[in-house]
């Protein structure tokens, strides 16, 4: 049985929830109740709680702050939020914290709660087989010790790395925030980093498995088995998979990541070598300029005289068009299409100044088959027609 604690300031709501669902039929035991966040944290210190179902709006400490503190102490605890307010901002913050679900109290029913419980229990059952006596901090420190030959333990406990999943070998990936030139120091940054780690852990645990941990809130390390759980993806597919993971992180947390993966290694004792290989391959200059944007800009510059579209560039650098559009605007403060148009018109101005080509020829040179559209666009952006620009 997995122990549940319900945190809700209204007693009648707690009673209603208690008898809404046959909890034990889903492998969940109603272990404790609390009327506020402070009381819930006290219970967490004395009871082994696996699932916390908490209201968001409560007197004193609200549910969001409670969840952040719980996750900081024990990342494995599963959080379910309750709210009387159908508010997207709450739902978005719940995702950042790593909540399993966000239930709307006025409309939720037994079927919806049961569906959430099935998801929660599945996540708990799929958790890595680490020593249950280790705290989250001790577990993290243990995995860190495996990355350095000088701290590599002589005796290893039975962890997730010693399961059958790693019989095909393993590979290691290092993730860093793109702007992570200096380690985070404030509590808020640390909590945000833990949200990032939780999201990566949740993403890879469904598809690939392995172990996810962090180093000093600066980087996240993922040790992955040689093959995905489905058996359809292997080490050879890692590039595409990492691209999709980084895209998901950007979409949900608005955090741009860089990453680097090691080769495939057969033995856990080679983790120090795998970690060093991944570190040495981390992109050098991506801390100050997003690599995806640089790649897309380079493609545009190379193909400027063609019909350059967002979809073409996204396909070339293996990201979705939506993701490229968002990261481009975030990094440059300019839409992708505006960037292309600006560069095409700058080249057109050069041709107008330095050649005798006719306007329709210049339009065709930079990929506009309709010279009237080109002239209209030129006037809108430059403030005069192409001929006026040439004759000034």
């Amino acid at each position: 049985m997995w122990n549940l604690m319900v945190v809700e300031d209204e007693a009648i709501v707690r009673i209603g929830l208690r008898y809404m669902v046959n909890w034990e039929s889903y492998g969940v035991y109603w272990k404790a109740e609390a009327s506020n966040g402070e009381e819930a944290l006290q219970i967490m210190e004395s009871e082994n709680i696996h699932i916390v179902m908490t209201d968001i709006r409560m007197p004193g400490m609200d549910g969001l702050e409670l969840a952040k503190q719980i996750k900081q102490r024990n990342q494995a605890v599963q959080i379910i939020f309750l709210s009387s307010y159908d508010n997207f901002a709450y739902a978005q913050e719940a995702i950042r914290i790593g909540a399993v679900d966000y239930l709307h109290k006025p409309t939720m029913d037994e079927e919806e709660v049961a569906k959430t419980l099935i998801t929660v229990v599945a996540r708990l059952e799929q958790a890595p087989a680490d020593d249950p006596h280790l705290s989250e901090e001790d577990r993290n420190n243990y995995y860190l010790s495996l990355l350095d030959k000088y701290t590599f333990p002589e005796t290893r406990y039975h962890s997730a790395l010693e399961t059958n999943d790693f019989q095909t070998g393993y590979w290691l990936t290092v993730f860093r925030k793109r702007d992570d030139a200096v380690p985070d120091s404030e509590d808020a940054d640390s909590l945000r980093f833990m949200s990032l780690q939780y999201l990566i852990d949740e993403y890879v645990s469904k598809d690939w498995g392995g172990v996810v941990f962090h180093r000093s809130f600066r980087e996240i390390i993922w040790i992955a088995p040689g093959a995905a759980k489905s058996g359809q993806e292997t080490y050879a597919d890692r590039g595409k998979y990492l691209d999709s993971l980084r895209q998901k992180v950007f979409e949900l947390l608005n955090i741009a990541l860089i990453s680097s993966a090691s080769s495939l290694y057969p033995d856990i004792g080679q983790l120090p070598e795998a970690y060093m290989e991944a570190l040495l391959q981390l992109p050098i200059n991506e801390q100050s300029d997003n690599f995806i944007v640089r790649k897309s800009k380079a493609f545009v510059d190379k193909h400027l005289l063609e019909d350059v579209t967002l979809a073409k560039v996204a396909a070339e650098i293996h990201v979705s068009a939506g993701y490229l559009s968002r990261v481009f605007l975030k990094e440059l403060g300019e839409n992708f299409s505006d960037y292309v148009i600006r560069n095409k018109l700058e080249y057109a101005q050069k041709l107008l100044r330095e050649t005798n080509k006719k306007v329709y020829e210049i339009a065709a040179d930079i990929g506009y088959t309709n010279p009237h559209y080109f002239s209209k666009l030129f006037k809108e952006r430059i403030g005069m027609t192409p001929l006026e620009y040439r004759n000034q």
Side-chain angles (χ1 to χ4, degrees):
M1 286 285 180
W2 301 101
N3 293 333
L4 167 74
M5 176 172 63
V6 173
V7 189
E8 166 63 58
D9 59 313
E10 296 183 57
I12 192 169
V13 176
R14 296 201 302 271
I15 294 171
L17 273 172
R18 181 89 183 243
Y19 297 104
M20 176 186 285
V21 178
N22 183 355
W23 301 91
E24 296 191 7
S25 68
Y26 296 98
V28 176
Y29 176 64
W30 186 290
K31 180 72 173 179
E33 298 178 15
S35 59
N36 57 63
E38 291 81 359
E39 183 182 350
L41 289 177
Q42 291 176 2
I43 292 173
M44 293 288 295
E45 292 178 0
S46 58
E47 300 288 352
N48 187 21
I49 301 295
H50 307 106
I51 308 165
V52 173
M53 182 178 284
T54 177
D55 192 5
I56 287 186
R57 295 288 292 270
M58 296 184 294
M61 181 187 298
D62 66 16
L64 294 172
E65 179 59 30
L66 169 64
K68 290 174 183 177
Q69 294 205 26
I70 289 173
K71 284 294 186 182
Q72 198 171 24
R73 300 178 188 193
N74 188 348
Q75 191 74 9
V77 175
Q78 302 295 303
I79 306 292
I80 303 169
F81 281 118
L82 305 170
S83 179
S84 300
Y85 302 87
D86 193 7
N87 189 312
F88 176 72
Y90 285 151
Q92 190 176 42
E93 183 63 15
I95 291 172
R96 291 179 187 273
I97 293 170
V100 177
D101 209 343
Y102 177 91
L103 302 177
H104 188 214
K105 283 195 289 187
T107 60
M108 71 181 183
D109 54 20
E110 179 182 354
E111 183 180 350
E112 186 177 7
V113 175
K115 183 179 178 182
T116 300
L117 289 178
I118 292 171
T119 301
V120 168
V121 170
R123 290 188 180 187
L124 289 168
E125 290 176 346
Q126 293 172 7
D130 286 326
D131 188 334
H133 301 294
L134 284 181
S135 67
E136 185 67 21
E137 182 179 0
D138 288 340
R139 171 186 174 276
N140 197 87
N141 289 336
Y142 171 76
Y143 285 123
L144 282 177
S145 72
L146 300 177
L147 302 183
D148 191 321
K149 64 181 181 180
Y150 297 106
T151 60
F152 199 92
E154 294 183 8
T155 303
R156 301 199 303 266
Y157 75 82
H158 182 74
S159 72
L161 296 177
E162 273 72 41
T163 63
N164 292 333
D165 293 342
F166 288 87
Q167 287 184 340
T168 57
Y170 67 91
W171 50 287
L172 180 150
T173 301
V174 175
F175 297 95
R176 287 184 182 172
K177 292 194 293 182
R178 183 197 51 77
D179 57 350
D180 189 25
V182 179
D184 295 327
S185 57
E186 298 182 3
D187 290 344
D189 291 330
S190 298
L191 285 170
R192 183 164 168 77
F193 191 91
M194 294 307 291
S195 297
L196 169 63
Q197 178 182 330
Y198 182 85
L199 178 58
I200 291 175
D201 197 1
E202 286 297 300
Y203 189 93
V204 303
S205 66
K206 296 174 186 176
D207 310 314
W208 212 295
V211 171
V212 178
F213 53 103
H214 73 87
R215 178 184 290 278
S216 305
F217 301 105
R218 177 176 175 82
E219 63 189 28
I220 292 173
I221 299 102
W222 172 35
I223 304 173
K229 289 182 177 180
S230 66
Q232 296 176 348
E233 290 180 300
T234 65
Y235 168 74
D237 304 306
R238 70 195 185 285
K240 183 178 179 181
Y241 185 81
L242 291 174
D243 284 344
S244 66
L245 192 160
R246 289 195 301 269
Q247 178 180 332
K248 180 62 67 175
V249 167
F250 188 83
E251 289 174 350
L252 293 179
L253 299 181
N254 198 33
I255 296 175
L257 291 178
I258 59 171
S259 66
S260 178
S262 74
S263 304
L264 192 65
Y265 285 79
D267 186 79
I268 295 300
Q270 296 173 289
L271 271 170
E273 289 89 338
Y275 177 60
M276 184 57 64
E277 179 189 353
L279 281 182
L280 292 175
Q281 294 187 82
L282 272 173
I284 298 173
N285 296 320
E286 289 179 21
Q287 304 292 58
S288 58
D289 189 13
N290 191 288
F291 186 51
I292 289 175
V293 171
R294 286 196 282 122
K295 286 175 69 176
S296 61
K297 286 171 64 178
F299 184 85
V300 169
D301 293 344
K302 184 176 180 180
H303 300 273
L304 186 64
L305 304 186
E306 304 169 17
D307 181 21
V308 183
T309 66
L310 180 68
K312 284 183 180 178
V313 179
E316 175 68 21
I317 62 177
H318 308 296
V319 299
S320 73
Y323 173 68
L324 176 58
S325 176
R326 286 189 293 275
V327 75
F328 206 94
L329 179 61
K330 178 177 180 289
E331 289 301 313
L332 299 184
E334 182 178 32
N335 287 320
F336 175 85
S337 58
D338 288 335
Y339 175 82
V340 173
I341 290 171
R342 179 169 58 81
N343 279 272
K344 281 180 176 288
L345 293 183
E346 285 179 359
Y347 187 73
Q349 288 174 274
K350 176 180 172 66
L351 294 179
L352 286 167
R353 291 194 308 267
E354 299 177 3
T355 73
N356 293 321
K357 285 188 173 184
K358 299 185 181 299
V359 171
Y360 71 85
E361 292 176 325
I362 292 175
D365 283 347
I366 61 174
Y368 293 108
T369 57
N370 186 333
H372 298 293
Y373 173 76
F374 165 70
S375 296
K376 180 181 178 182
L377 185 64
F378 192 97
K379 186 172 183 179
E380 287 177 354
R381 299 299 180 103
I382 308 301
M384 61 186 77
T385 66
L387 288 178
E388 288 172 341
Y389 179 84
R390 169 173 276 170
N391 296 327
Q392 66 176 345

